Amino acid sequence: MNLENLAALKPYLSFFHPITMWLLLVVALYAMYLGVQVRRTRLADGDIKKEMVKGRFAIRHHQIGSILLALMVIGAIGGMTVTYLNSGKIAIGPHLFAGLGMVGLISTSAALVPFMQKHDWVRNLHISLNIILLGLFGWQAVTGVQIVQKILSSMNGPAAG
């Protein structure tokens, strides 16, 4: 692969991953909201439950979760690829390891779904993994902003002074 062909895209490639991940963080928070609504629906009684079922929270949660899984894996691969294209190496550090951990958590969480109907402990594990995932995601957002700031500084040249 000739990396020189991508030279014109380099300034934009650096920002594709962070923008995508920030959007994905919003999607993850929406998936959490839907998951909470699924739990509320399951625990509700009578007319309240009938009304909540109309929200189709379980279906929407599953669909958004599936999209989130795919985009998070693609986003992680994309982030590593852009890093390699821009610097010729993969930056080994906490941001990378936490991102890979997030991919592991979301894939494990998704793999638990078929077993959640029959086992409450599996459902609780699914919830716990996703809470940890959201915590890591928030931390990733902060460290990602720090990385973007470094990229912007290097694009503007060395600071005076």
Side-chain angles (χ1 to χ4, degrees), residues 53 56 81 116:
V53 166
R56 300 175 38 149
T81 302
M116 288 174 27

Side-chain angles (χ1 to χ4, degrees), residues 11-139:
Y12 306 106
L13 287 175
S14 296
F15 301 105
F16 183 75
H17 174 74
I19 290 169
T20 302
M21 291 297 104
W22 273 94
L23 292 173
L24 213 50
L25 178 57
V26 172
V27 172
L29 292 169
Y30 179 61
M32 180 187 71
Y33 163 78
L34 292 173
V36 168
Q37 297 309 313
V38 170
R39 189 166 184 87
R40 286 184 60 219
T41 301
R42 190 178 344 91
L43 298 175
D45 292 321
D47 290 337
I48 294 173
K49 185 170 190 159
K50 286 179 185 177
E51 192 60 35
M52 290 188 78
V53 166
K54 292 177 186 176
R56 300 175 38 149
F57 297 116
I59 292 168
R60 291 169 39 206
H61 178 69
H62 189 264
Q63 290 170 339
I64 294 295
S66 296
I67 292 167
L68 187 62
L69 169 63
L71 293 178
M72 188 173 289
V73 171
I74 291 167
I77 293 167
M80 290 184 285
T81 302
V82 167
T83 299
Y84 182 78
L85 290 174
N86 284 337
S87 65
K89 62 181 181 174
I90 300 295
I92 306 298
H95 190 81
L96 173 68
F97 292 128
L100 293 174
M102 288 168 56
V103 170
L105 286 170
I106 196 166
S107 58
T108 303
S109 178
L112 294 173
V113 170
F115 308 102
M116 288 174 27
Q117 293 296 331
K118 295 188 179 198
H119 305 287
D120 283 340
W121 70 269
V122 176
R123 187 178 300 116
N124 291 332
L125 180 58
H126 173 85
I127 293 167
S128 298
L129 291 176
N130 288 329
I131 289 170
I132 295 167
L133 172 67
L134 278 173
L136 272 177
F137 212 158
W139 182 79

